Coordinates of all heavy atoms in Angstrom, one line a residue:
M1 N -15.1 -25.2 21.1 CA -14.1 -25.9 20.4 C -13.8 -25.3 19.1 O -14.7 -24.9 18.3 CB -14.6 -27.4 20.2 CG -13.5 -28.2 19.5 SD -14.2 -29.9 19.3 CE -13.6 -30.3 17.7
S2 N -12.5 -25.1 18.8 CA -12.2 -24.4 17.5 C -11.8 -25.4 16.4 O -11.0 -26.2 16.6 CB -11.1 -23.4 17.8 OG -9.9 -24.1 17.9
E3 N -12.6 -25.2 15.3 CA -12.3 -26.0 14.2 C -11.3 -25.3 13.3 O -11.4 -24.1 13.2 CB -13.5 -26.2 13.3 CG -14.5 -27.3 13.8 CD -15.8 -27.2 13.0 OE1 -15.7 -27.4 11.7 OE2 -16.8 -26.9 13.6
G4 N -10.5 -26.0 12.6 CA -9.6 -25.3 11.6 C -10.5 -24.7 10.5 O -11.4 -25.4 10.0
S5 N -10.3 -23.5 10.1 CA -11.1 -22.9 9.1 C -10.6 -23.4 7.7 O -9.4 -23.7 7.5 CB -11.0 -21.4 9.1 OG -11.5 -20.8 7.9
N6 N -11.5 -23.6 6.8 CA -11.2 -24.0 5.4 C -11.0 -22.8 4.5 O -10.7 -22.9 3.3 CB -12.2 -24.8 4.8 CG -12.2 -26.2 5.5 OD1 -11.2 -26.8 5.8 ND2 -13.4 -26.8 5.7
F7 N -11.1 -21.6 5.1 CA -11.0 -20.4 4.3 C -9.9 -19.5 4.8 O -9.6 -19.4 5.9 CB -12.3 -19.6 4.3 CG -13.4 -20.3 3.5 CD1 -14.2 -21.3 4.1 CD2 -13.6 -20.0 2.2 CE1 -15.2 -21.9 3.4 CE2 -14.6 -20.7 1.4 CZ -15.4 -21.6 2.1
L8 N -9.4 -18.8 3.8 CA -8.3 -17.8 4.1 C -8.7 -16.5 3.5 O -9.2 -16.4 2.4 CB -7.0 -18.2 3.4 CG -6.1 -19.3 4.1 CD1 -5.0 -19.6 3.1 CD2 -5.6 -18.8 5.4
V9 N -8.4 -15.4 4.2 CA -8.6 -14.1 3.6 C -7.2 -13.6 3.2 O -6.3 -13.5 4.0 CB -9.2 -13.1 4.6 CG1 -9.3 -11.7 4.0 CG2 -10.6 -13.6 4.9
R10 N -7.1 -13.3 1.9 CA -5.8 -12.8 1.4 C -5.9 -11.5 0.7 O -6.9 -11.3 0.0 CB -5.2 -13.9 0.5 CG -5.3 -15.3 0.9 CD -4.0 -16.0 1.3 NE -2.8 -15.2 1.1 CZ -1.7 -15.7 0.6 NH1 -1.7 -16.9 0.2 NH2 -0.6 -15.0 0.5
N11 N -4.8 -10.8 0.7 CA -4.8 -9.6 -0.1 C -4.2 -9.9 -1.5 O -3.0 -10.1 -1.6 CB -3.9 -8.5 0.6 CG -3.8 -7.2 -0.2 OD1 -4.4 -7.1 -1.2 ND2 -3.0 -6.3 0.4
T12 N -5.1 -10.0 -2.5 CA -4.7 -10.3 -3.8 C -3.7 -9.4 -4.4 O -2.8 -9.8 -5.1 CB -5.9 -10.3 -4.8 OG1 -7.0 -10.9 -4.1 CG2 -5.6 -11.2 -6.0
M13 N -3.8 -8.2 -4.0 CA -2.8 -7.2 -4.5 C -1.4 -7.6 -4.0 O -0.4 -7.5 -4.8 CB -3.2 -5.8 -3.9 CG -2.6 -4.6 -4.7 SD -3.0 -4.7 -6.5 CE -4.4 -3.6 -6.5
E14 N -1.3 -8.1 -2.8 CA 0.0 -8.5 -2.3 C 0.5 -9.7 -3.1 O 1.7 -9.8 -3.4 CB -0.1 -8.8 -0.8 CG 1.2 -9.2 -0.2 CD 1.1 -9.5 1.3 OE1 0.1 -9.2 2.0 OE2 2.0 -10.1 1.9
I15 N -0.3 -10.6 -3.4 CA 0.1 -11.8 -4.1 C 0.6 -11.4 -5.5 O 1.6 -11.8 -6.0 CB -1.1 -12.8 -4.3 CG1 -1.5 -13.3 -2.9 CG2 -0.8 -13.9 -5.2 CD1 -2.9 -14.0 -2.9
L16 N -0.2 -10.4 -6.1 CA 0.2 -10.0 -7.5 C 1.5 -9.3 -7.5 O 2.4 -9.5 -8.3 CB -0.9 -9.1 -8.0 CG -2.2 -9.7 -8.5 CD1 -3.1 -8.6 -8.9 CD2 -1.9 -10.7 -9.6
V17 N 1.7 -8.4 -6.5 CA 3.0 -7.6 -6.4 C 4.2 -8.6 -6.2 O 5.2 -8.5 -6.9 CB 3.0 -6.6 -5.3 CG1 4.3 -6.0 -5.0 CG2 2.0 -5.5 -5.6
W18 N 4.0 -9.6 -5.4 CA 5.1 -10.6 -5.2 C 5.3 -11.4 -6.5 O 6.4 -11.7 -6.9 CB 4.8 -11.6 -4.1 CG 5.1 -11.1 -2.7 CD1 4.3 -10.8 -1.8 CD2 6.5 -10.8 -2.2 NE1 5.0 -10.3 -0.6 CE2 6.3 -10.3 -0.9 CE3 7.8 -10.9 -2.7 CZ2 7.4 -9.9 -0.1 CZ3 8.9 -10.5 -1.9 CH2 8.6 -10.0 -0.7
Q19 N 4.2 -11.7 -7.2 CA 4.4 -12.4 -8.5 C 5.1 -11.6 -9.5 O 5.7 -12.2 -10.4 CB 3.0 -12.8 -9.0 CG 2.4 -14.0 -8.4 CD 1.0 -14.3 -8.8 OE1 0.4 -13.6 -9.6 NE2 0.4 -15.4 -8.4
M20 N 4.9 -10.3 -9.5 CA 5.4 -9.5 -10.6 C 6.7 -8.8 -10.3 O 7.4 -8.3 -11.2 CB 4.4 -8.3 -10.9 CG 3.1 -8.9 -11.6 SD 1.8 -7.7 -11.7 CE 2.6 -6.5 -12.8
V21 N 7.2 -8.9 -9.0 CA 8.3 -8.1 -8.6 C 9.6 -8.4 -9.4 O 10.3 -7.6 -9.8 CB 8.6 -8.1 -7.1 CG1 8.9 -9.5 -6.6 CG2 9.6 -7.1 -6.6
D22 N 9.9 -9.7 -9.6 CA 11.1 -10.1 -10.3 C 11.1 -9.6 -11.8 O 12.1 -9.1 -12.2 CB 11.2 -11.6 -10.3 CG 11.6 -12.1 -8.9 OD1 12.2 -11.3 -8.1 OD2 11.1 -13.2 -8.5
D23 N 9.9 -9.7 -12.4 CA 9.8 -9.2 -13.8 C 10.1 -7.7 -13.9 O 10.8 -7.2 -14.8 CB 8.5 -9.5 -14.4 CG 8.3 -10.9 -14.9 OD1 9.4 -11.6 -15.0 OD2 7.2 -11.3 -15.2
V24 N 9.5 -7.0 -13.0 CA 9.6 -5.5 -13.0 C 11.1 -5.2 -12.7 O 11.7 -4.3 -13.4 CB 8.6 -4.8 -12.1 CG1 8.8 -3.3 -12.2 CG2 7.2 -5.2 -12.6
M25 N 11.7 -5.8 -11.7 CA 13.0 -5.5 -11.3 C 14.0 -5.8 -12.4 O 15.1 -5.1 -12.5 CB 13.4 -6.3 -10.0 CG 12.8 -5.6 -8.8 SD 13.1 -6.6 -7.3 CE 14.8 -6.2 -6.9
R26 N 13.7 -6.8 -13.2 CA 14.7 -7.1 -14.3 C 14.9 -5.9 -15.3 O 15.9 -5.8 -15.9 CB 14.1 -8.3 -15.1 CG 15.2 -9.3 -15.4 CD 14.6 -10.6 -15.9 NE 14.1 -11.4 -14.8 CZ 13.0 -12.2 -14.8 NH1 12.3 -12.3 -15.9 NH2 12.6 -12.8 -13.8
K27 N 13.9 -5.0 -15.3 CA 14.0 -3.9 -16.2 C 14.8 -2.7 -15.6 O 15.1 -1.8 -16.2 CB 12.6 -3.3 -16.5 CG 11.8 -4.3 -17.3 CD 10.4 -3.8 -17.6 CE 9.5 -4.9 -18.1 NZ 8.1 -4.8 -17.6
F28 N 15.2 -3.0 -14.3 CA 16.0 -1.9 -13.6 C 17.3 -2.6 -13.1 O 17.4 -2.9 -11.9 CB 15.3 -1.3 -12.5 CG 14.0 -0.6 -12.9 CD1 12.8 -1.2 -13.1 CD2 14.0 0.8 -13.1 CE1 11.7 -0.6 -13.5 CE2 12.9 1.5 -13.5 CZ 11.7 0.8 -13.7
P29 N 18.3 -2.8 -14.0 CA 19.4 -3.6 -13.6 C 20.3 -2.9 -12.5 O 21.0 -3.6 -11.8 CB 20.3 -3.7 -14.9 CG 19.6 -2.8 -15.9 CD 18.3 -2.4 -15.4
E30 N 20.0 -1.7 -12.3 CA 20.8 -0.9 -11.2 C 20.2 -1.1 -9.8 O 20.9 -0.8 -8.9 CB 20.9 0.6 -11.6 CG 19.6 1.3 -11.4 CD 18.7 1.2 -12.7 OE1 18.9 0.4 -13.5 OE2 17.7 2.0 -12.7
V31 N 19.0 -1.7 -9.7 CA 18.5 -1.8 -8.4 C 19.0 -3.1 -7.7 O 19.3 -4.1 -8.4 CB 16.9 -1.9 -8.4 CG1 16.4 -3.1 -9.1 CG2 16.3 -1.7 -7.0
C32 N 19.3 -3.0 -6.4 CA 19.8 -4.1 -5.6 C 18.7 -5.2 -5.5 O 17.5 -4.8 -5.3 CB 20.3 -3.7 -4.3 SG 20.7 -5.1 -3.2
S33 N 19.0 -6.4 -5.8 CA 18.0 -7.5 -5.7 C 18.1 -8.3 -4.5 O 17.6 -9.5 -4.5 CB 18.0 -8.3 -7.0 OG 19.3 -8.8 -7.2
C34 N 18.8 -7.9 -3.5 CA 18.9 -8.7 -2.3 C 17.5 -8.8 -1.6 O 16.6 -8.0 -2.0 CB 19.9 -8.1 -1.3 SG 19.3 -6.7 -0.3
E35 N 17.4 -9.7 -0.7 CA 16.1 -10.0 -0.1 C 15.5 -8.8 0.6 O 14.3 -8.5 0.5 CB 16.2 -11.1 0.8 CG 15.0 -12.0 0.9 CD 15.1 -13.0 2.0 OE1 16.2 -13.5 2.4 OE2 14.0 -13.3 2.6
G36 N 16.3 -8.0 1.2 CA 15.9 -6.8 2.0 C 15.3 -5.8 1.1 O 14.3 -5.2 1.3
C37 N 16.1 -5.5 0.0 CA 15.7 -4.4 -0.9 C 14.4 -4.9 -1.7 O 13.5 -4.1 -2.0 CB 16.8 -4.1 -1.9 SG 18.1 -3.2 -1.1
R38 N 14.4 -6.1 -2.1 CA 13.2 -6.7 -2.8 C 12.0 -6.6 -1.9 O 10.9 -6.2 -2.3 CB 13.5 -8.2 -3.1 CG 12.7 -8.7 -4.2 CD 13.4 -10.0 -4.7 NE 12.5 -10.9 -5.3 CZ 11.9 -11.9 -4.7 NH1 12.1 -12.1 -3.4 NH2 11.0 -12.6 -5.3
S39 N 12.1 -6.9 -0.6 CA 11.0 -6.8 0.3 C 10.5 -5.3 0.5 O 9.4 -5.0 0.6 CB 11.3 -7.4 1.7 OG 11.7 -8.7 1.5
D40 N 11.5 -4.4 0.5 CA 11.2 -3.0 0.6 C 10.4 -2.5 -0.6 O 9.5 -1.7 -0.5 CB 12.5 -2.1 0.7 CG 13.0 -1.9 2.1 OD1 12.3 -2.2 3.0 OD2 14.2 -1.5 2.2
I41 N 10.8 -3.0 -1.8 CA 10.1 -2.6 -3.0 C 8.6 -3.1 -2.9 O 7.7 -2.3 -3.2 CB 10.8 -3.2 -4.2 CG1 12.2 -2.4 -4.5 CG2 10.0 -3.1 -5.5 CD1 13.1 -3.2 -5.3
V42 N 8.5 -4.3 -2.5 CA 7.1 -4.8 -2.4 C 6.3 -4.0 -1.4 O 5.1 -3.6 -1.7 CB 7.1 -6.3 -2.0 CG1 5.8 -6.8 -1.7 CG2 7.7 -7.2 -3.2
A43 N 6.9 -3.7 -0.2 CA 6.2 -3.0 0.8 C 5.8 -1.6 0.3 O 4.7 -1.1 0.5 CB 7.0 -2.9 2.1
L44 N 6.8 -0.9 -0.3 CA 6.6 0.5 -0.8 C 5.5 0.5 -1.9 O 4.6 1.4 -1.9 CB 7.8 1.1 -1.3 CG 8.9 1.5 -0.3 CD1 10.3 1.8 -0.9 CD2 8.5 2.7 0.5
A45 N 5.5 -0.5 -2.7 CA 4.5 -0.5 -3.8 C 3.2 -0.8 -3.2 O 2.2 -0.2 -3.6 CB 4.9 -1.7 -4.8
L46 N 3.1 -1.7 -2.2 CA 1.8 -2.0 -1.6 C 1.2 -0.8 -0.9 O 0.0 -0.7 -0.8 CB 1.9 -3.3 -0.7 CG 1.9 -4.6 -1.4 CD1 2.3 -5.7 -0.4 CD2 0.6 -4.9 -2.1
N47 N 2.0 0.0 -0.3 CA 1.5 1.2 0.4 C 0.8 2.1 -0.6 O 0.0 2.9 -0.2 CB 2.7 1.9 1.1 CG 3.1 1.2 2.3 OD1 2.3 0.5 2.9 ND2 4.3 1.5 2.8
Q48 N 1.2 2.0 -1.9 CA 0.5 2.9 -2.8 C -0.7 2.3 -3.5 O -1.4 3.0 -4.3 CB 1.5 3.3 -3.9 CG 2.8 4.0 -3.4 CD 3.8 4.1 -4.5 OE1 3.5 4.8 -5.6 NE2 4.9 3.5 -4.5
L49 N -0.9 1.0 -3.3 CA -2.0 0.3 -4.0 C -3.1 0.0 -3.1 O -2.9 -0.2 -1.9 CB -1.4 -1.0 -4.6 CG -0.4 -0.8 -5.7 CD1 0.4 -2.1 -5.9 CD2 -1.1 -0.4 -7.0
P50 N -4.3 0.0 -3.6 CA -5.5 -0.3 -2.7 C -5.4 -1.8 -2.4 O -5.2 -2.6 -3.4 CB -6.7 0.0 -3.6 CG -6.2 -0.1 -5.1 CD -4.7 0.3 -5.0
P51 N -5.7 -2.2 -1.2 CA -5.7 -3.7 -1.0 C -6.9 -4.3 -1.6 O -8.0 -3.6 -1.7 CB -5.8 -3.7 0.6 CG -6.3 -2.4 1.0 CD -5.9 -1.4 -0.1
K52 N -6.8 -5.5 -2.1 CA -8.0 -6.2 -2.6 C -8.1 -7.5 -2.0 O -7.4 -8.5 -2.3 CB -7.7 -6.4 -4.2 CG -7.7 -5.2 -5.0 CD -9.2 -4.6 -5.1 CE -9.2 -3.2 -5.5 NZ -10.4 -2.5 -5.2
Y53 N -8.9 -7.6 -0.9 CA -9.0 -8.8 -0.2 C -10.0 -9.8 -0.8 O -11.1 -9.4 -1.3 CB -9.5 -8.5 1.3 CG -8.4 -7.8 2.0 CD1 -8.5 -6.4 2.3 CD2 -7.3 -8.5 2.5 CE1 -7.5 -5.8 2.9 CE2 -6.3 -7.8 3.2 CZ -6.4 -6.4 3.4 OH -5.4 -5.8 4.0
V54 N -9.7 -11.0 -0.8 CA -10.6 -12.1 -1.2 C -10.6 -13.2 -0.2 O -9.5 -13.5 0.4 CB -10.2 -12.7 -2.6 CG1 -10.5 -11.6 -3.8 CG2 -8.8 -13.1 -2.7
A55 N -11.7 -13.9 -0.1 CA -11.8 -15.1 0.8 C -11.6 -16.2 -0.2 O -12.3 -16.4 -1.2 CB -13.1 -15.1 1.5
T56 N -10.6 -17.1 0.1 CA -10.4 -18.2 -0.8 C -10.5 -19.4 0.1 O -10.1 -19.5 1.2 CB -9.0 -18.2 -1.5 OG1 -8.0 -18.1 -0.5 CG2 -8.9 -17.1 -2.5
E57 N -11.0 -20.5 -0.6 CA -11.0 -21.8 0.1 C -9.6 -22.3 0.0 O -9.0 -22.2 -1.1 CB -12.0 -22.7 -0.6 CG -12.7 -23.7 0.3 CD -13.9 -24.3 -0.3 OE1 -14.4 -23.7 -1.3 OE2 -14.3 -25.3 0.2
I58 N -9.1 -23.0 1.0 CA -7.8 -23.5 1.0 C -7.6 -24.5 -0.1 O -8.5 -25.4 -0.2 CB -7.4 -24.1 2.4 CG1 -7.2 -23.0 3.4 CG2 -6.1 -24.9 2.3 CD1 -7.1 -23.5 4.8
G59 N -6.6 -24.3 -0.9 CA -6.4 -25.2 -2.1 C -6.9 -24.6 -3.4 O -6.4 -24.9 -4.4
E60 N -7.9 -23.6 -3.2 CA -8.5 -23.0 -4.4 C -7.4 -22.1 -5.1 O -7.4 -21.9 -6.3 CB -9.7 -22.2 -4.0 CG -10.4 -21.5 -5.2 CD -11.3 -20.4 -4.6 OE1 -11.6 -20.4 -3.4 OE2 -11.9 -19.7 -5.5
V61 N -6.7 -21.5 -4.3 CA -5.7 -20.5 -4.6 C -6.1 -19.4 -5.6 O -7.2 -18.9 -5.6 CB -4.3 -21.0 -4.9 CG1 -3.3 -20.5 -3.8 CG2 -4.2 -22.5 -4.8
Y62 N -5.2 -19.1 -6.5 CA -5.2 -17.7 -7.1 C -6.0 -17.6 -8.4 O -5.6 -16.8 -9.3 CB -3.8 -17.1 -7.3 CG -2.9 -17.4 -6.1 CD1 -1.6 -17.9 -6.3 CD2 -3.4 -17.1 -4.8 CE1 -0.8 -18.1 -5.2 CE2 -2.5 -17.3 -3.7 CZ -1.3 -17.8 -3.9 OH -0.5 -18.0 -2.9
S63 N -7.0 -18.3 -8.6 CA -7.7 -18.2 -9.9 C -8.2 -16.8 -10.2 O -8.2 -16.4 -11.3 CB -8.9 -19.2 -10.0 OG -9.7 -19.0 -8.8
K64 N -8.6 -16.1 -9.1 CA -9.1 -14.8 -9.3 C -8.0 -13.7 -9.6 O -8.3 -12.6 -10.0 CB -9.9 -14.4 -8.1 CG -11.3 -15.1 -8.0 CD -12.0 -14.7 -6.8 CE -13.1 -15.7 -6.5 NZ -12.9 -16.6 -5.4
S65 N -6.8 -14.0 -9.2 CA -5.8 -13.0 -9.3 C -5.4 -12.7 -10.8 O -5.0 -11.6 -11.0 CB -4.5 -13.5 -8.6 OG -3.9 -14.5 -9.2
N66 N -5.7 -13.6 -11.7 CA -5.4 -13.2 -13.1 C -6.3 -12.1 -13.6 O -5.9 -11.3 -14.3 CB -5.7 -14.5 -14.0 CG -4.6 -15.5 -13.7 OD1 -3.5 -15.2 -13.3 ND2 -5.0 -16.8 -13.9
I67 N -7.6 -12.2 -13.2 CA -8.5 -11.1 -13.6 C -8.0 -9.8 -13.0 O -7.9 -8.8 -13.7 CB -9.9 -11.4 -13.0 CG1 -10.4 -12.8 -13.6 CG2 -10.9 -10.3 -13.4 CD1 -11.5 -13.4 -12.8
L68 N -7.7 -9.8 -11.7 CA -7.2 -8.6 -11.1 C -6.0 -8.1 -11.7 O -5.7 -6.9 -11.8 CB -7.0 -8.9 -9.6 CG -8.1 -8.6 -8.7 CD1 -7.7 -9.0 -7.2 CD2 -8.5 -7.1 -8.7
E69 N -5.1 -9.0 -12.1 CA -3.8 -8.6 -12.7 C -4.0 -7.8 -13.9 O -3.4 -6.7 -14.0 CB -2.9 -9.8 -13.0 CG -1.7 -9.4 -13.7 CD -0.6 -10.5 -13.9 OE1 -0.8 -11.5 -13.4 OE2 0.3 -10.2 -14.7
S70 N -4.9 -8.2 -14.8 CA -5.1 -7.4 -16.0 C -5.7 -6.1 -15.7 O -5.4 -5.1 -16.3 CB -5.9 -8.2 -17.0 OG -7.1 -8.6 -16.4
Q71 N -6.5 -6.1 -14.7 CA -7.2 -4.8 -14.3 C -6.2 -3.8 -13.7 O -6.3 -2.6 -13.8 CB -8.3 -5.2 -13.3 CG -9.5 -4.3 -13.4 CD -10.6 -4.9 -12.5 OE1 -10.7 -6.2 -12.3 NE2 -11.4 -4.1 -11.9
Y72 N -5.3 -4.3 -12.9 CA -4.4 -3.5 -12.1 C -3.0 -3.5 -12.5 O -2.2 -2.8 -11.9 CB -4.5 -3.8 -10.6 CG -5.8 -3.5 -10.0 CD1 -6.8 -4.5 -9.7 CD2 -6.2 -2.2 -9.6 CE1 -8.0 -4.2 -9.2 CE2 -7.4 -1.9 -9.1 CZ -8.3 -2.9 -8.9 OH -9.5 -2.6 -8.4
R73 N -2.7 -4.2 -13.6 CA -1.4 -4.3 -14.0 C -0.6 -3.0 -14.1 O 0.5 -2.9 -13.6 CB -1.3 -5.0 -15.3 CG 0.0 -5.7 -15.6 CD 0.0 -6.4 -17.0 NE 1.4 -6.8 -17.2 CZ 1.9 -7.9 -16.7 NH1 1.2 -8.7 -16.0 NH2 3.2 -8.2 -16.9
A74 N -1.2 -2.1 -14.8 CA -0.5 -0.7 -15.0 C -0.3 0.0 -13.7 O 0.8 0.5 -13.5 CB -1.4 0.1 -16.0
D75 N -1.2 -0.1 -12.8 CA -1.1 0.5 -11.5 C 0.0 -0.1 -10.7 O 0.8 0.5 -10.0 CB -2.4 0.4 -10.6 CG -3.5 1.2 -11.2 OD1 -3.2 2.1 -12.0 OD2 -4.7 1.0 -10.8
I76 N 0.1 -1.4 -10.8 CA 1.1 -2.2 -10.0 C 2.5 -1.8 -10.5 O 3.4 -1.6 -9.8 CB 0.8 -3.7 -10.1 CG1 -0.5 -4.1 -9.3 CG2 2.0 -4.5 -9.5 CD1 -1.0 -5.5 -9.5
I77 N 2.6 -1.8 -11.9 CA 3.9 -1.5 -12.4 C 4.3 -0.1 -12.1 O 5.5 0.2 -11.7 CB 3.9 -1.8 -14.0 CG1 3.8 -3.3 -14.2 CG2 5.2 -1.2 -14.6 CD1 3.6 -3.7 -15.7
G78 N 3.4 0.8 -12.1 CA 3.6 2.2 -11.8 C 4.1 2.4 -10.3 O 5.1 3.0 -10.0
A79 N 3.4 1.7 -9.4 CA 3.7 1.7 -8.0 C 5.1 1.1 -7.7 O 5.9 1.6 -7.0 CB 2.7 1.1 -7.2
M80 N 5.3 0.0 -8.4 CA 6.6 -0.7 -8.3 C 7.8 0.1 -8.8 O 8.9 0.1 -8.3 CB 6.5 -2.1 -9.0 CG 6.8 -3.2 -8.1 SD 6.9 -4.7 -8.9 CE 5.2 -5.3 -8.6
T81 N 7.5 0.8 -9.9 CA 8.6 1.6 -10.5 C 9.0 2.7 -9.5 O 10.2 3.0 -9.3 CB 8.1 2.2 -11.9 OG1 7.8 1.2 -12.7 CG2 9.2 3.0 -12.5
K82 N 8.0 3.3 -8.9 CA 8.3 4.4 -7.9 C 9.1 3.8 -6.8 O 10.1 4.4 -6.2 CB 7.0 5.0 -7.4 CG 6.5 6.1 -8.3 CD 5.3 6.8 -7.6 CE 4.2 7.1 -8.6 NZ 2.9 7.3 -7.9
A83 N 8.7 2.6 -6.3 CA 9.4 2.0 -5.2 C 10.8 1.6 -5.6 O 11.7 1.8 -4.8 CB 8.6 0.7 -4.8
I84 N 11.0 1.2 -6.8 CA 12.4 0.8 -7.2 C 13.3 2.0 -7.3 O 14.4 2.0 -6.8 CB 12.3 0.1 -8.6 CG1 11.7 -1.3 -8.4 CG2 13.6 0.0 -9.3 CD1 11.4 -2.1 -9.7
V85 N 12.7 3.1 -7.8 CA 13.5 4.4 -7.8 C 14.0 4.7 -6.4 O 15.1 5.1 -6.1 CB 12.7 5.5 -8.4 CG1 13.4 6.9 -8.3 CG2 12.5 5.2 -10.0
K86 N 13.0 4.6 -5.4 CA 13.3 5.0 -4.0 C 14.4 4.1 -3.4 O 15.3 4.6 -2.8 CB 12.0 4.9 -3.2 CG 11.8 6.0 -2.3 CD 10.4 5.8 -1.6 CE 10.0 7.1 -1.0 NZ 8.6 7.0 -0.5
V87 N 14.2 2.8 -3.7 CA 15.2 1.8 -3.1 C 16.6 2.0 -3.8 O 17.6 1.8 -3.2 CB 14.6 0.4 -3.2 CG1 15.7 -0.6 -2.9 CG2 13.5 0.2 -2.3
T88 N 16.6 2.3 -5.1 CA 17.8 2.5 -5.8 C 18.6 3.7 -5.2 O 19.8 3.6 -5.1 CB 17.6 2.8 -7.3 OG1 16.8 1.7 -7.8 CG2 18.9 2.8 -8.1
E89 N 17.8 4.7 -4.8 CA 18.5 5.9 -4.2 C 19.1 5.6 -2.9 O 20.1 6.1 -2.5 CB 17.5 7.1 -4.1 CG 17.2 7.8 -5.3 CD 16.0 8.7 -5.2 OE1 15.3 8.7 -4.2 OE2 15.6 9.3 -6.3
S90 N 18.4 4.7 -2.1 CA 18.8 4.4 -0.8 C 18.6 2.9 -0.4 O 17.6 2.6 0.3 CB 18.1 5.3 0.2 OG 18.3 5.0 1.5
P91 N 19.4 2.0 -0.9 CA 19.2 0.6 -0.7 C 19.4 0.3 0.8 O 20.4 0.8 1.4 CB 20.3 -0.1 -1.5 CG 21.0 1.0 -2.3 CD 20.6 2.3 -1.7
R92 N 18.5 -0.5 1.4 CA 18.6 -0.7 2.9 C 19.9 -1.5 3.2 O 20.5 -1.2 4.3 CB 17.4 -1.5 3.3 CG 17.5 -3.0 3.1 CD 16.6 -3.7 4.1 NE 15.3 -3.2 4.2 CZ 14.7 -3.1 5.4 NH1 15.2 -3.5 6.5 NH2 13.5 -2.6 5.4
C93 N 20.4 -2.3 2.3 CA 21.6 -3.0 2.6 C 22.9 -2.2 2.6 O 24.0 -2.6 3.1 CB 21.7 -4.2 1.7 SG 21.6 -3.7 0.0
K94 N 22.8 -1.0 2.0 CA 24.0 -0.2 1.8 C 23.9 1.1 2.6 O 24.7 2.0 2.5 CB 24.3 0.1 0.3 CG 24.9 -1.1 -0.3 CD 24.7 -1.0 -1.9 CE 24.9 -2.4 -2.5 NZ 24.2 -2.6 -3.6
R95 N 22.8 1.1 3.4 CA 22.6 2.3 4.3 C 23.5 2.2 5.5 O 23.8 1.1 6.0 CB 21.2 2.4 4.7 CG 20.4 3.6 4.1 CD 19.0 3.5 4.6 NE 18.1 3.0 3.7 CZ 16.9 2.5 4.0 NH1 16.6 2.3 5.2 NH2 16.1 2.0 3.1
G96 N 23.8 3.3 6.1 CA 24.4 3.3 7.4 C 25.9 3.0 7.4 O 26.4 2.0 7.6
Ligands
ZN101 ZN1 20.0 -4.7 -1.1

């Protein structure tokens, strides 16, 4: 019999990138901010960043992500900046 688990494994890096994407994109007014391009930026940035998995109890949420954020902030912004440059060159919504 399967019980519902009280724990979730999440990639904290992914949470952080989603949390920071709007702030970083605001510095690049030329980048398209539609949902598709925004998702592309997050995906491209995450491909350059090491995943940081944590097991969290449901409800506990992101208390640990603040620590990670200060540790990886510069890396995340760097990866996101590269991703934004790429998407600006070839926005998915204006391709084809
Ligand atoms: Zn777009």
Side-chain angles (χ1 to χ4, degrees):
M1 181 181 140
S2 74
E3 279 171 62
S5 168
N6 289 321
F7 288 88
L8 280 174
V9 176
R10 316 246 1 220
N11 179 1
T12 319
M13 201 56 96
E14 184 179 343
I15 296 164
L16 286 177
V17 169
W18 278 113
Q19 279 175 355
M20 290 169 65
V21 65
D22 291 327
D23 277 351
V24 179
M25 282 175 78
R26 220 166 288 146
K27 295 178 191 142
F28 297 85
E30 69 279 12
V31 70
C32 175
S33 59
C34 79
E35 215 190 324
C37 290
R38 204 161 152 269
S39 301
D40 271 348
I41 289 163
V42 170
L44 288 166
L46 281 171
N47 283 339
Q48 300 173 62
L49 293 161
K52 291 288 164 203
Y53 291 105
V54 289
T56 55
E57 215 164 339
I58 290 170
E60 175 195 358
V61 243
Y62 315 133
S63 51
K64 288 175 193 111
S65 67
N66 291 331
I67 302 159
L68 268 176
E69 177 175 344
S70 52
Q71 216 169 324
Y72 291 103
R73 201 180 172 82
D75 292 345
I76 295 170
I77 291 172
M80 235 186 262
T81 302
K82 276 188 219 159
I84 286 171
V85 168
K86 224 174 200 177
V87 168
T88 305
E89 281 165 4
S90 172
R92 84 155 46 217
C93 52
K94 283 157 198 151
R95 247 183 259 156

